[in-house]
Amino acid sequence: METTETKAKAAIAMLQGLRDYFDLQHVARASTELVRTEVLAANHGIELSNTVGILRHIFHDIEEWERQHWS
């Protein structure tokens, strides 16, 4: 039977690739430029910006959890 910690570590591993692959600062800059050049509708730029913000919070929370649970 898996423990909560084991399940958490498995979920973190799934997100690890996303965290390692995407540079969220570059995604945010690209989003701004795509809206500025009218390639991306403003409301989609806002949604993408919000998504980047949420991902930053998620990755921060994961890092905090890792510091507390992994030595």
Side-chain angles (χ1 to χ4, degrees):
M1 186 166 148
E2 286 186 290
T3 66
T4 301
E5 188 168 326
T6 303
K7 290 178 182 178
K9 288 179 181 181
I12 288 170
M14 287 186 259
L15 286 175
Q16 192 76 28
L18 181 65
R19 181 171 52 178
D20 293 344
Y21 185 76
F22 285 104
D23 179 345
L24 296 178
Q25 186 172 5
H26 284 111
V27 174
R29 283 189 202 142
S31 172
T32 300
E33 188 63 22
L34 289 170
V35 170
R36 191 185 69 73
T37 58
E38 298 179 354
V39 172
L40 192 63
N43 62 322
H44 291 144
I46 291 167
E47 290 174 6
L48 185 53
S49 177
N50 289 341
T51 301
V52 167
I54 290 166
L55 287 172
R56 283 182 177 147
H57 286 291
I58 290 169
F59 294 149
H60 177 269
D61 289 350
I62 288 170
E63 289 169 3
E64 283 292 314
W65 189 90
E66 287 176 328
R67 277 194 283 279
Q68 294 173 6
H69 293 88
W70 289 347
S71 43

